[in-house]
Amino acid sequence: MKRFVFQGLLFALLLLAGVWAILTWIDWKGYSDEYYKRFLHPAPSLILGTSRAAQGIVPEVLAAGLPEGTFSLPLENFAFTVVTSPYSETYYKAIKKKIGGLEDKQGLFILAVDPYSLRDDKAGEQEKWLHLRWTAIREPNYFYLFRYCRPHSWVRPGGHTILHDDGWLEISGIPVDSASVAAATERKMSEYNDWEIQKSDERMGWLIRTIDLLKVHGTVYLVRIPVSPQMKGREDQVWPDFDQDIRAIADSMALHYFSFIQQSGDFRTTDGNHLYRDDAILFSKALCDSILLCTPSQ
Amino acid sequence: MFVLHWFVCGRNLRAQNGLIVLASYAFYAWWDWRFLALLAGTSLLCWSCGLAVARWRESAPRRALFFNALNIVVNLGVLALFKYYDFFAQSFADAFLGGNASGILLHLALPVGISFYTFKALAYTIEIRRGTIPAERDPMPVMAYISFFPQLLAGPIERPQHLIPQFKQLRTFSYEQATDGCRQILWGLFKKVVVADNCAVYVNEVWDNVGGEAGSTLLLAAILFSVQIYGDFSGYSDISIGVGKLLGVRSRKNFDMPYFSRGIAEFWRKWHISLTSWFRDYVYIPMGGSRCPKGRVIFNTLVVFLLSGLWHGADWTFVLWGAYNGLLFVPGLISGHRPRYRDAVAQGRMLPSLKELGLMLFTFGLATLGWILFRADNLQQAVAFFEGLGHLGTLKAPLLFFVTPRIRLQMIFICCLLVAEWTGRKNPDFSGIRTRYKILNWCLYLAIAILVFWFWRNDSAFIYQQF
């Protein structure tokens, strides 16, 4: 038995060393999935929400458009997907880890809101994605690499998906001609039309708690990102008072709410839901202008 | 579990068995707690019927028969309810109600592992009635036998005469058995994670677009699925057997390198051995087996394979798959030419003869055609697949092995598997790669472990778990 236990431990140690070497190599080469870079270091300013925000708001553009010293940098995109980062306890705790123990009071927090991020999801997002629940923020993030970064999940150079260091998820190289976008929009609408959308008081509660958390560290803005007219139509149908509901929260908490939903159709999307890369840059500039109008000049 | 089993419970048999039962139930609950009561109920029914069968076996055989039948009927009834009711109800509705089955379907979730532990439960009372094993007064060995966690989800379907005696004597730690178990677990993980799961990526892509793929792609996918299902299922069996060895419990092998078979009969003696032997001993032989007129033998064979197909799943594709395999036996049964290969292929030689190679490839081809039915989601998809295969372009398939980049790496792993199992084919206790040199063995095992880590997918599942 002793011999077996000793050899077992030795094998485990050698294996651990091998795995550690591989993870270190993966981190050094920059091979990772489309979320890893967001788990490396805390940040004083964040963009939050679902994949609409992950693709639609470009931190670099916002940071470049805002006067230096207005907000603490770096500004990072910490938005994921509609099933993994709707406003919830899990997302709240992950955001808390992301801002870390920073004492900063000059953060900039853009919270993207839409009916899908605040819907009553009976399946529960907490069960779906443990990345947010268990992952600490550190560099290199061995836990994350070990758990999630295998070759099959790597974002490959030259591929359609690029995760920038600031967390912006750039999707490029996919067809954006009208026929392709129409087909992609139809597929997306068909998927989203299957979802039952009901306002979730619990998620609204977590949105408010998230705002309360972030207000201590800086300025919070609520944003509704524009989509395609078809998606807007669907959202108007399932939650017609969405803008009023969010505005009520913003007013009660002395925040600004920028709803760009009436400009749906003015910005190109790849699938009716996510802004096309170039239009994400344009939208980010428009958002920046809105923020500047509200920011007292220094 | 290992620590508790050997260091805490190592000197007490009841503690060892109690730990195994507790761990097995905890394991099952982790998968699906809703059906724990069903598992417990099956075990207790089986145990109590076993006592009754043993009690009346000599003095009142009809009463013993009743309790045996009770165990069989209740357990099969539960299996039929959960697994087959909706299938037959839908089929009935399709045939007689215009397809409208909304009022008669039950939509019951399938309890994990029910097909496997039910068959173990049936074997228990059957063997008691046959007099091959005594009934157990203590329910613990029976519960451990039925719920033994390494075998709970996807077999092997162990026999009570082999497993229960091991739960009636204190298991002592054996270094050789434990290291053999570790080696087998690692080998099973290699087959499952490195070989099968990588094949699955390509196979699933092709099957998602059957109508739009070229014949050569379809053939390649069919071949890779044959590799996938072998790697997946035999890999699971190896892991299961290896874990058992770590706990001092020996299980019989479930696969004996079936793709080296020289005929379909040999193939079915080496594929999913625990299930095919179960059907042989409890269905085929009681029906008369091969000691009947030729027509009856053919009938018995077809019934067994139809039932085997149905056991795998509640769908007509599985029934057809079973029928197809049964029909493959018919020419041999009619002609009387049924070579019974008892020795390993290429016995005493490094390489097979041309004839042996031809027979192996032919058998592999027959099995692969059957796996198409097995893999298809429905009959329409299977038909579309076969139609796609029937084009001349299919003949280009062998080239795809070398020109498709994603397949090239996979080919290396498949070749490693092939070479390892070919060189180990004569070893009845083959449990993975092993050389004469300890350092080389360690390097190989570390390499395999790292490959398993490298290719591990969190979303991977075992194919046979669904049955």
Side-chain angles (χ1 to χ4, degrees):
Chain A
M1 172 66 85
K2 279 186 200 157
R3 190 174 153 208
F4 178 79
V5 171
F6 172 73
Q7 288 183 344
L9 284 171
L10 180 61
F11 185 85
L13 271 167
L14 289 171
L15 180 61
L16 257 157
V19 167
W20 174 82
I22 288 172
L23 294 180
T24 305
W25 176 78
I26 289 175
D27 179 62
W28 173 67
K29 291 288 277 185
Y31 295 145
S32 62
D33 68 0
E34 53 200 51
Y35 307 117
Y36 174 62
K37 288 180 186 175
R38 300 193 183 124
F39 292 97
L40 294 182
H41 21 72
S45 297
L46 296 175
I47 296 164
L48 304 169
T50 65
S51 55
R52 274 188 206 175
Q55 294 177 38
I57 305 180
V58 187
E60 192 182 11
V61 170
L62 272 179
L66 298 170
E68 208 174 305
T70 315
F71 300 104
S72 296
L73 296 173
L75 171 65
E76 277 197 32
N77 194 314
F78 198 62
F80 296 90
T81 74
V82 69
V83 294
T84 55
S85 60
Y87 292 99
S88 64
E89 184 182 1
T90 303
Y91 198 26
Y92 174 88
K93 287 180 175 171
I95 293 166
K96 217 173 167 184
K97 279 188 264 186
K98 182 66 177 171
I99 56 177
L102 298 173
E103 296 296 325
D104 220 291
K105 305 284 185 214
Q106 280 199 285
L108 168 65
F109 302 102
I110 313 284
L111 274 63
V113 292
D114 60 71
Y116 295 96
S117 64
L118 295 165
R119 80 189 190 285
D120 187 0
D121 173 15
K122 293 181 177 52
E125 50 68 51
Q126 286 94 335
E127 291 78 36
K128 288 192 176 74
W129 208 48
L130 299 179
H131 296 56
L132 285 179
R133 185 183 259 191
W134 297 115
T135 307
I137 307 292
R138 59 169 58 96
E139 183 178 18
N141 201 321
Y142 284 116
F143 171 82
Y144 192 96
L145 289 172
F146 175 80
R147 190 83 172 85
Y148 304 113
C149 287
R150 301 294 198 287
H152 66 268
S153 65
W154 285 350
V155 170
R156 298 192 179 272
H160 295 315
T161 308
I162 304 166
L163 180 65
H164 291 258
D165 289 347
D166 60 11
W168 178 45
L169 188 66
E170 178 187 347
I171 308 293
S172 65
I174 56 172
V176 287
D177 56 276
S178 54
S180 302
V181 171
T185 302
E186 195 181 321
R187 283 194 299 273
K188 184 62 72 176
M189 291 309 302
S190 148
E191 181 191 325
Y192 274 44
N193 284 343
D194 285 342
W195 292 4
E196 205 181 292
I197 306 299
Q198 273 181 357
K199 174 179 161 184
S200 166
D201 290 331
E202 192 183 338
R203 294 218 187 282
M204 296 292 268
W206 280 110
L207 171 65
I208 292 169
R209 284 188 202 97
T210 304
I211 295 170
D212 279 334
L213 167 72
L214 298 174
K215 276 178 77 174
V216 173
H217 296 281
T219 311
V220 178
Y221 295 94
L222 300 177
V223 174
R224 191 173 178 191
I225 298 172
V227 289
S228 66
Q230 295 93 323
M231 186 62 78
K232 175 184 179 294
R234 169 75 176 147
E235 291 185 8
D236 286 344
Q237 191 184 19
V238 299
W239 195 334
D241 299 328
F242 182 83
D243 268 354
Q244 286 95 300
D245 290 343
I246 299 299
R247 209 168 290 287
I249 291 174
D251 290 343
S252 69
M253 301 181 87
L255 309 176
H256 290 285
Y257 171 46
F258 304 124
S259 175
F260 288 84
I261 199 65
Q262 298 306 327
Q263 294 173 41
S264 293
D266 293 352
F267 297 90
R268 288 175 299 173
T269 66
T270 53
D271 59 1
N273 190 40
H274 302 104
L275 290 178
Y276 174 54
R277 176 194 59 195
D278 293 349
D279 291 71
I281 292 170
L282 289 173
F283 170 71
S284 301
K285 285 181 181 162
L287 177 59
C288 185
D289 291 341
S290 296
I291 293 173
L292 280 172
L293 281 173
C294 301
T295 307
S297 48
Q298 307 215 339
Chain B
M1 178 69 192
F2 177 85
V3 169
L4 285 173
H5 188 265
W6 293 116
F7 291 97
V8 177
C9 307
R11 292 176 206 268
N12 186 309
L13 175 61
R14 282 195 74 81
Q16 276 187 342
N17 289 342
L19 177 67
I20 281 182
V21 171
L22 197 67
S24 299
Y25 276 72
F27 178 72
Y28 194 77
W30 181 61
W31 282 98
D32 196 339
W33 60 268
R34 297 173 297 171
F35 298 111
L36 265 181
L38 188 62
L39 177 64
T42 298
S43 303
L44 291 172
L45 172 71
C46 160
W47 168 72
S48 51
C49 284
L51 283 173
V53 169
R55 167 80 175 84
W56 302 112
R57 185 171 158 265
E58 300 285 347
S59 56
R62 288 169 72 90
R63 208 175 282 189
L65 174 64
F66 169 77
F67 282 102
N68 187 28
L70 179 69
N71 185 46
I72 292 170
V73 167
V74 171
N75 279 303
L76 281 181
V78 169
L79 177 65
L81 177 68
F82 280 100
K83 195 165 175 179
Y84 301 110
Y85 173 83
D86 277 0
F87 166 61
F88 285 112
Q90 184 65 59
S91 301
F92 176 82
D94 289 342
F96 302 109
L97 303 176
N100 181 13
S102 52
I104 56 175
L105 295 179
L106 294 177
H107 300 294
L108 295 172
L110 183 66
V112 175
I114 190 172
S115 302
F116 295 92
Y117 69 71
T118 297
F119 272 34
K120 285 169 99 172
L122 301 186
Y124 180 67
T125 51
I126 293 172
E127 293 295 344
I128 290 173
R129 187 159 173 269
R130 288 182 179 181
T132 53
I133 57 169
E136 298 300 323
R137 297 214 152 280
D138 182 0
M140 200 68 87
V142 179
M143 291 181 77
Y145 155 67
I146 295 208
S147 66
F148 188 44
F149 70 91
Q151 302 170 355
L152 193 49
L153 299 184
I157 305 170
E158 262 292 5
R159 300 298 184 86
Q161 56 267 45
H162 187 251
L163 203 54
I164 290 181
Q166 297 186 68
F167 291 126
K168 288 169 67 175
Q169 58 187 31
L170 187 70
R171 293 173 288 287
T172 52
F173 181 80
S174 157
Y175 172 81
E176 284 71 30
Q177 190 176 32
T179 50
D180 199 43
C182 289
R183 184 168 33 249
Q184 197 155 6
I185 290 169
L186 205 53
W187 187 239
L189 284 170
F190 173 78
K191 286 200 279 188
K192 162 62 180 164
V193 175
V194 181
V195 177
D197 285 352
N198 278 314
C199 287
V201 175
Y202 185 85
V203 167
N204 291 342
E205 264 181 34
V206 172
W207 273 95
D208 282 345
N209 184 33
V210 166
E213 299 287 357
S216 50
T217 307
L218 293 176
L219 181 57
L220 180 61
I223 294 169
L224 286 177
F225 182 71
S226 295
V227 176
Q228 178 195 341
I229 194 168
Y230 173 67
D232 190 288
F233 195 19
S234 70
Y236 177 89
S237 293
D238 280 330
I239 294 167
S240 164
I241 294 168
V243 170
K245 285 178 181 174
L246 276 178
L247 299 174
V249 178
R250 292 204 79 91
S251 305
R252 296 181 309 170
K253 65 181 164 189
N254 209 17
F255 290 83
D256 190 10
M257 297 164 201
Y259 287 147
F260 296 152
S261 301
R262 290 153 284 188
I264 201 68
E266 188 182 5
F267 176 82
W268 280 106
R269 278 200 304 277
K270 297 184 169 191
W271 180 279
H272 200 177
I273 297 168
S274 63
L275 180 73
T276 49
S277 63
W278 195 99
F279 273 111
R280 179 196 63 213
D281 294 342
Y282 301 130
V283 179
Y284 183 71
I285 290 176
M287 287 176 70
S290 51
R291 295 170 196 266
C292 300
K294 212 174 271 187
R296 177 69 191 205
V297 174
I298 293 172
F299 176 77
N300 294 344
T301 305
L302 288 173
V303 165
V304 163
F305 275 98
L306 278 170
L307 288 175
S308 174
L310 203 56
W311 177 92
H312 281 84
D315 205 304
W316 290 111
T317 50
F318 292 112
V319 175
L320 274 178
W321 170 78
Y324 164 79
N325 279 282
L327 286 170
L328 289 179
F329 278 76
V330 171
L333 290 171
I334 291 174
S335 66
H337 176 65
R338 295 157 60 194
R340 298 185 78 79
Y341 301 105
R342 292 295 180 199
D343 56 346
V345 65
Q347 184 77 20
R349 287 175 275 118
M350 178 74 87
L351 296 172
S353 64
L354 276 175
K355 181 185 175 190
E356 283 171 331
L357 181 63
L359 287 172
M360 285 193 288
L361 287 173
F362 182 66
T363 307
F364 178 79
L366 289 177
T368 297
L369 285 176
W371 291 135
I372 293 170
L373 286 165
F374 194 91
R375 175 63 178 78
D377 291 334
N378 49 58
L379 283 177
Q380 291 82 358
Q381 199 182 41
V383 167
F385 198 100
F386 281 116
E387 277 178 352
L389 276 183
H391 296 127
L392 278 177
T394 302
L395 298 172
K396 285 192 299 187
L399 287 177
L400 290 178
F401 276 100
F402 302 102
V403 304
T404 313
R406 290 160 53 193
I407 308 298
R408 275 190 224 130
L409 180 63
Q410 198 52 25
M411 281 309 299
I412 296 173
F413 296 136
I414 294 172
C415 286
C416 289
L417 173 64
L418 200 65
V419 167
E421 298 215 329
W422 178 259
T423 51
R425 72 194 184 282
K426 290 169 215 163
N427 178 2
D429 296 318
F430 179 77
S431 58
I433 297 178
R434 190 178 187 180
T435 70
R436 278 181 289 177
Y437 309 104
K438 199 160 193 164
I439 296 284
L440 183 58
N441 286 336
W442 273 67
C443 291
L444 279 170
Y445 301 151
L446 274 168
I448 289 175
I450 285 174
L451 276 175
V452 168
F453 158 74
W454 184 262
F455 288 108
W456 183 273
R457 301 177 79 97
N458 293 330
D459 57 356
S460 165
F462 292 100
I463 294 175
Y464 265 70
Q465 200 177 305
Q466 63 185 304
F467 306 135

